[in-house]
């Protein structure tokens, strides 16, 4: 709460100091994203974005413990990015079909930058318990100040499969939600249905 930003570098190697200096002095606009979730309190542990629906419980502190300090996929930049007009090309698809998803990303900042657009999928109802969301794709997009680009993804059957109770890969019919955003918490969603 006392600093506007933190640089998490893990193990940067022997040129890490040079790279960090380039970011601190504005020579490079950072675009890295966290590959882990950083909890707000010990009561949240274990803390990960792809939890099962029953995993999240409230501890002392109530609602403040339900969101992590920094979610999986989080990252700051000297630019700001806005997501809008999330769309799917089909509202219904067969189990062997594909769905094309698009979202417009705008650099609303004053500096050119890169954003890592993340796509998660949530199976709304399934025979076996599944994670509330799973990262299935991502794309890096470079944007000048004020520039908007349309980022496109294709959801193929392999992105909807999971191991059922008999440990067989399967796609079950039903509603799936596509979630797109800059990290695993700040997401825009749209649904489509898989038919038998």
């Amino acid at each position: 709460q006392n600093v506007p930003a933190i640089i998490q570098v893990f193990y940067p190697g022997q040129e890490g100091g040079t790279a960090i200096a380039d970011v601190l002095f504005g020579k490079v606009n950072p675009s890295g994203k966290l590959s882990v979730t950083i909890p707000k309190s010990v009561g949240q542990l274990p803390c990960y974005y792809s939890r099962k629906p029953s995993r999240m419980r409230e501890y002392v502190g109530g609602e403040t413990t339900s969101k992590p300090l920094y979610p999986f996929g989080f990252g700051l930049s000297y630019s700001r990015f806005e997501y809008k007009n999330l769309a799917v090309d089909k509202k219904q698809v067969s189990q062997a079909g594909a769905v094309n998803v698009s979202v417009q990303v705008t650099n609303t900042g004053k500096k050119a930058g890169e954003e890592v657009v993340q796509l998660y999928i949530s199976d709304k109802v399934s025979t076996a318990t599944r994670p509330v969301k799973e990262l299935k794709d991502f794309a890096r997009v470079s944007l000048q100040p004020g520039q908007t680009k349309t980022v496109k993804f294709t959801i193929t059957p392999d992105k909807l499969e999971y191991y059922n109770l008999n440990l067989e890969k399967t796609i079950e019919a039903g509603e799936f939600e596509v979630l797109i955003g800059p990290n695993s918490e700040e997401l825009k969603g749209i649904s489509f249905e898989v038919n038998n």
Side-chain angles (χ1 to χ4, degrees), residues 49-71:
Y49 85 92
S50 58
R51 64 178 174 78
K52 295 294 179 80
S54 60
R55 160 64 187 91
M56 205 50 133
R57 299 180 193 90
E58 297 298 338
Y59 290 89
V60 176
E63 204 172 309
T64 58
T65 61
S66 61
K67 297 262 186 211
L69 185 62
Y70 299 108

Side-chain angles (χ1 to χ4, degrees), residues 144-165:
Q144 295 298 315
Q147 185 180 15
T148 299
K149 284 186 180 177
T150 300
V151 180
K152 297 179 181 179
F153 297 98
T154 300
I155 299 173
T156 50
D158 60 299
K159 292 178 181 164
L160 304 177
E161 288 178 334
Y162 83 108
Y163 286 99
N164 65 16
L165 298 172

Side-chain angles (χ1 to χ4, degrees), residues 1-2 36 51 54 63 71 76 78 86 99 108 142 195-196:
Q1 68 270 25
N2 299 319
V36 296
R51 64 178 174 78
S54 60
E63 204 172 309
L76 293 177
Y78 293 132
L86 176 60
V99 176
T108 59
S142 298
N195 298 322
N196 284 329

